[in-house]
Amino acid sequence: MVRTVKSSDVTATRIRPCGMADLPALFSIVNDAAQAYKGVIPDDCWHEPYMPLDQLKRETREGIVFWGCESGGTLVGMMGIQDRGEVSLIRHAYVQTAQRRKGIGEKLLMHLEGTTAKPILIGTWSAAAWAIRFYEKNGYRVLSRPETERLLHEHWRIPERQIETSVVLAKRDRAVLAGRPSRR
């Protein structure tokens, strides 16, 4: 499904699935946008490039489906969704620095919400206040620390240090998630 949406700019944007041919553009978007984390997240969690191309390829092989927002024929934002059984995870949401504050992230999020009926979980760095505010503005809320740790262990494959420094946000069907033992 491809959705064309009028942006606040004169140009129309188009949300579309991304394939292997888009990996160089996705790599560029991630590593440009991730500069916002430099000096904000713990130094031991920062590296250059922020997401190597091999990791981006691995994430695709592990089931993350990337969607891109195209403006004028160029990808300017991306967001991934990953099916993890009873939930879907929003993964790797990035918008080019020059394209921020134009509604691209919100368009991508709304589109991905429409691709699943499952509860959606979003993980982000706890120090990324702007990211947390973005998701809160779109109806998500930060979960408790115990619930965050349980869900990160259960649904993500990330280092323990990243778990210590991240939050999880959820929007709906939290009752489905409550009280489940960790599968780890």
Side-chain angles (χ1 to χ4, degrees):
M1 166 180 15
V2 173
R3 181 186 300 176
T4 301
V5 196
K6 289 285 182 188
S7 73
S8 57
D9 293 347
V10 178
T11 349
T13 57
R14 178 173 81 121
I15 306 296
R16 66 169 178 83
C18 295
M20 296 304 279
D22 295 308
L23 286 177
L26 298 177
F27 173 80
S28 177
I29 292 168
V30 168
N31 289 295
D32 167 63
Q35 292 300 311
Y37 295 133
K38 193 172 188 175
V40 176
I41 65 172
D43 289 340
D44 62 332
C45 294
W46 176 260
H47 41 276
E48 293 278 352
Y50 180 74
M51 183 184 294
L53 189 56
D54 286 344
Q55 181 183 351
L56 190 56
K57 289 176 183 176
R58 184 175 59 250
E59 301 274 343
T60 301
R61 284 191 305 270
E62 292 177 357
I64 298 176
V65 178
F66 290 103
W67 289 79
C69 182
E70 203 173 60
S71 179
T74 302
L75 284 175
V76 295
M78 62 177 280
M79 194 174 287
I81 189 163
Q82 185 177 29
D83 185 328
R84 297 293 288 150
E86 71 259 4
V87 300
S88 292
L89 307 179
I90 296 293
R91 307 284 309 273
H92 309 304
Y94 296 98
V95 173
Q96 284 179 337
T97 302
Q99 299 297 322
R100 288 190 187 139
R101 300 192 142 330
K102 294 181 180 180
I104 293 167
E106 189 170 13
K107 289 173 190 173
L108 283 162
L109 181 60
M110 288 172 40
H111 181 82
L112 292 185
E113 286 175 340
T115 68
T116 184
K118 296 178 180 185
I120 292 175
L121 299 177
I122 301 169
T124 193
W125 298 101
S126 57
W130 66 91
I132 294 168
R133 279 193 306 273
F134 166 77
Y135 291 117
E136 287 176 334
K137 181 182 103 177
N138 285 283
Y140 291 82
R141 66 184 194 87
V142 176
L143 302 180
S144 70
R145 189 73 216 153
E147 195 167 20
T148 288
E149 288 179 10
R150 180 182 61 77
L151 292 169
L152 287 170
H153 281 113
E154 186 171 348
H155 298 293
W156 277 262
R157 293 185 187 113
I158 57 176
E160 195 62 36
R161 178 69 170 131
Q162 191 172 348
I163 289 171
E164 293 168 4
T165 58
S166 294
V167 295
V168 172
L169 298 97
K171 190 173 199 176
R172 59 181 185 251
D173 300 328
R174 281 201 52 237
V176 172
L177 304 172
R180 294 245 170 123
S182 174
R183 284 188 240 155
R184 191 171 202 203

